[in-house]
Amino acid sequence: MFSSIAPLARLNPFYAPHFQLVQDGARKRAGPAEAPTTRRSLAAASAAEEYSCAYGSGRFFMLCGLGGIISCGTTHTALVPLDLVKCRMQVDPQKYKSIFNGFSVTIKEDGVRGLAKGWAPTFIGYSMQGLCKFGFYEVFKILYGNMLGEENAYLWRTSLYLAASASAEFFADIALAPMEAAKVRIQTQPGYANTLRQAVPKMFGEEGIWAFYKGVAPLWMRQIPYTMMKFACFERTVEALYKYVVPKPRSECTKGEQLVVTFVAGYIAGVFCAIVSHPADSVVSVLNKEKGSSASQVLQRLGFKGVWKGLFARIIMIGTLTALQWFIYDSVKVYFRLPRPPPPEMPESLKKKLGLTE
C-alpha cells in the first residue's frame, strides 16, 4: 500500500537524501531514539518552564515579528553606505566604476555624511518588511505543514520552506515598496531630496500614489526568489551542518554554539540569495530613479551584462546581512525563551511504513 511513498519522495524536485539508515542504526545501538518533533510535542514542551509561550501561539508569532523588525531594520540601516554605492553603480556605472571608486566619489561630493543618505526610509521600510517576512514565515510554515500532515511535511520539507517564504515575502514587499522607492530617489538622484520628509511629498505631487508602488512588481521579482533561497537554503544548511559538521547533537550544544551554526548557515544562504536576486535588484534601482519607465523597458536597455553590475558589492552586502539577520533573529528567540524547533527528523510512523524500523 505504501510502496509508492519512497519513489515519490525521490521524485520531489527539491529532494535531498533523508534515509540515513546507518545513522538511524547507530542511534538505535546508542540508546532509545528521541521522539520526533511535531507541533503537538513542541506545544506540550512549551508549557515547561524553559519556554515563555506555546509554539504557534499568538504571542509566539508576535515575538517572531518583533525579531524580524529588529533583525532587518538594524542590519539594513547599518549597511546604508554600501547600499548607496551599490545603487549608484547600478544607475550610473560610468561615474561610479567600482566599490572603492564609488565611496571615493561620494565622499568627495557629499562628505562622509553623504554616505548615510536614505537611512530613514531604509530603517522604516525594512523594519516593516522584517515584521511580515519573519512573522508570516512562521505562520505559513505551520499552516502549510498542518495541511500536508506530519509525514508529507517531512518528505516535502524543502518545498514547504519555499512555499512559506514566498507567501510571507509577497506581503512583506507591499509593506516595503513605498520606503524603497523613496530611498532610491534620495540615494541616486542628486539634488532631488536629502531627507524622507522632503522626498515623500515631492514624489506624491509628481506621480501620486503610483510613485510608491510602481516598483512593487520588480520588487517581488527580486525579493521573492531571494527570500525563498534565504529561508530554504538556511533551513537545509542548518540541517546539514548538524548532521555532517557539528561533532555533537544540537541538544548537547550550548545556546552560543547554536547561534554560531545559525550565523554560518545564514552567510552561506546569503551568497546564493545575492546571485539569485541581483538582476531584479538592478531593474528596481533604475526603475525607481526614472519617471515613466516600465520594468521591461529598463531590462531591455540594461541588457544581460548591465543587470549584473554591482554583483560583488551585493554579495558582500547580502552575505553579511543575511548572516546577521538570522543571528539576531535567533538571538531574539533565545532572549524571549521562544520554542526553537531542532532540524526535522523522520516521523516514526513513516519509518514503519517504509520498513526502516526493526
Side-chain angles (χ1 to χ4, degrees):
M1 180 180 174
F2 301 105
S3 58
S4 64
I5 292 180
L8 179 65
R10 293 188 184 97
L11 286 172
N12 179 357
F14 303 108
Y15 167 76
H18 53 268
F19 297 147
Q20 302 293 328
L21 299 178
V22 177
Q23 290 186 1
D24 286 346
R27 284 195 200 100
K28 284 174 192 169
R29 287 192 294 276
E34 289 183 10
T37 304
T38 63
R39 186 182 176 187
R40 191 178 289 113
S41 63
L42 279 167
S46 302
E49 249 181 81
E50 59 176 311
Y51 297 136
S52 64
C53 62
Y55 181 70
S57 65
R59 177 179 166 80
F60 174 79
F61 293 133
M62 183 184 72
L63 290 174
C64 285
L66 176 63
I69 289 173
I70 296 169
S71 67
C72 291
T74 55
T75 51
H76 276 278
T77 306
L79 290 175
V80 160
L82 185 59
D83 183 48
L84 179 140
V85 172
K86 183 264 303 175
C87 285
R88 290 183 172 182
M89 285 171 64
Q90 289 171 329
V91 301
D92 194 354
Q94 300 304 317
K95 185 176 180 180
Y96 304 94
K97 296 178 175 64
S98 66
I99 300 177
F100 300 109
N101 174 257
F103 273 104
S104 175
V105 171
T106 301
I107 291 169
K108 268 183 193 173
E109 291 183 350
D110 303 325
V112 176
R113 288 186 66 181
L115 292 171
K117 270 190 174 181
W119 75 267
T122 298
F123 178 73
I124 297 167
Y126 283 94
S127 293
M128 295 305 296
Q129 189 211 36
L131 168 68
C132 299
K133 186 197 298 261
F134 283 93
F136 284 159
Y137 174 70
E138 300 287 358
V139 171
F140 285 117
K141 188 166 73 166
I142 290 174
L143 177 66
Y144 296 159
N146 288 343
M147 288 166 64
L148 287 170
E150 185 182 8
E151 293 174 4
N152 284 328
Y154 175 80
L155 290 172
W156 297 82
R157 60 195 182 280
T158 308
S159 304
L160 172 63
Y161 304 146
L162 291 168
S165 56
S167 301
E169 189 60 36
F170 177 84
F171 295 102
D173 289 341
I174 294 171
L176 169 65
M179 292 296 105
E180 178 73 1
K183 173 187 81 81
V184 172
R185 288 284 181 95
I186 293 167
Q187 290 181 338
T188 62
Q189 285 189 256
Y192 184 83
N194 290 319
T195 65
L196 180 62
R197 192 177 295 178
Q198 292 172 356
V200 170
K202 197 170 181 180
M203 290 170 68
F204 185 77
E206 290 173 353
E207 298 179 72
I209 198 71
W210 177 242
F212 303 102
Y213 286 100
K214 70 176 183 178
V216 75
L219 203 55
W220 281 327
M221 288 164 54
R222 180 188 84 183
Q223 290 296 129
I224 289 178
Y226 162 84
T227 302
M228 290 169 76
M229 184 65 75
K230 175 178 180 172
F231 283 86
C233 186
F234 172 79
E235 297 268 21
R236 293 311 299 252
T237 303
V238 166
E239 192 177 329
L241 288 174
Y242 279 115
K243 193 172 283 184
Y244 303 113
V245 179
V246 179
K248 55 186 176 181
R250 181 182 183 269
S251 56
E252 293 176 19
C253 295
T254 64
K255 293 286 193 294
E257 289 168 340
Q258 290 175 16
L259 289 173
V260 170
V261 172
T262 296
F263 184 85
V264 172
Y267 211 103
I268 293 168
V271 172
F272 289 102
C273 288
I275 295 167
V276 164
S277 62
H278 189 73
D281 182 64
S282 297
V283 173
V284 170
S285 294
V286 176
L287 191 66
N288 281 324
K289 181 194 173 188
E290 298 178 355
K291 296 177 200 172
S293 294
S294 67
S296 58
Q297 289 170 338
V298 171
L299 191 59
Q300 224 172 14
R301 193 164 67 253
L302 287 174
F304 180 80
K305 195 175 177 183
V307 297
W308 294 105
K309 282 278 183 184
L311 177 61
F312 181 64
R314 187 165 166 77
I315 285 175
I316 296 170
M317 175 181 155
I318 297 300
T320 308
L321 197 71
T322 307
L324 286 172
Q325 283 177 0
W326 277 115
F327 183 82
I328 293 168
Y329 180 65
D330 219 19
S331 298
V332 170
K333 281 186 165 183
V334 169
Y335 179 79
F336 286 110
R337 296 181 295 114
L338 299 183
R340 296 161 62 242
E345 292 184 9
M346 185 183 291
E348 290 297 327
S349 60
L350 187 57
K351 286 181 184 178
K352 286 176 185 174
K353 288 177 183 178
L354 298 171
L356 301 179
T357 55
E358 293 176 356

